[in-house]
Amino acid sequence: MEEISYAEVDKALKKFRPFLVRDGGDYELVEVTPDGTVKIKLLGACETCPSSDMTLKMGIELTLAEKIIGFKEVVQVF
C-alpha cells in the first residue's frame, strides 16, 4: 500500500477549512501516519464544541475518504 502524503491531506482539508472558520473554528494538521491515520487538533470554537466528534467523523473523515486512496481514519489530538 502506498503511503499518503502530508501535502495530499493538507490540500484536501483546505477545501473543508472554510466551513470551520465560518463557525469560529479551525484545525491544525498534526501528522499523517504511514498506515493512513490523520491526526488533527481542533482549534478555536471547535475545541469546545459538543459537535466536534461529528465534525471529525462526518465532515473531515468523509472528505478525506472521498479524495485520498489509502486513507484510514481521523484521530483528534489534544
Side-chain angles (χ1 to χ4, degrees), residues 27-71:
Y27 69 87
E28 174 187 346
L29 177 56
V30 176
E31 182 182 4
V32 178
T33 67
D35 73 347
T37 299
V38 174
K39 296 181 181 182
I40 290 182
K41 181 176 183 178
L42 293 176
L43 306 170
C46 292
E47 286 182 276
T48 58
C49 178
S51 299
S52 63
D53 286 340
M54 183 74 83
T55 299
L56 281 173
K57 296 297 177 183
M58 299 306 292
I60 294 173
E61 195 165 270
L62 285 178
T63 297
L64 294 177
E66 290 174 353
K67 301 192 180 303
I68 299 179
I69 295 171
F71 166 75

